[in-house]
Amino acid sequence: MLDAFNRHPSSVGESYGRHLAQAAGFGVTMIAAGAACLVHAIFPFWFEKTASLCVQRLHARMAARGRADAAHKALQA
């Protein structure tokens, strides 16, 4: 059972706690961006670039994380 909690985090070079923090951070950011989109739908003059900036930042974080994962896997090989 414990293996189920560690299998994916270790496959991306993270501990369970680190993966929890990373995933929660992504989730909170996406929820905030979604809320900004909903507010922007009603008030188009508010949050004009908030969601797109959040998506750009998340993409940059994910891309950087992918490069770190590739380096980690290369070291294990």
Side-chain angles (χ1 to χ4, degrees):
M1 179 64 164
L2 188 58
D3 181 57
F5 284 94
N6 291 313
R7 189 176 319 120
H8 172 66
S10 67
S11 75
V12 294
E14 296 175 344
S15 67
Y16 176 80
R18 176 74 174 160
H19 190 270
L20 173 70
Q22 290 285 338
F26 273 78
V28 168
T29 301
M30 287 191 283
I31 290 169
C37 284
L38 291 172
V39 172
H40 175 74
I42 298 166
F43 303 102
F45 45 89
W46 287 350
F47 304 112
E48 292 179 19
K49 296 181 181 180
T50 303
S52 60
L53 290 173
C54 284
V55 169
Q56 290 172 2
R57 286 188 203 118
L58 286 174
H59 179 264
R61 281 176 54 194
M62 183 66 75
R65 185 172 175 251
R67 287 191 298 272
D69 294 343
H72 176 77
K73 287 179 183 177
L75 289 173
Q76 288 181 333

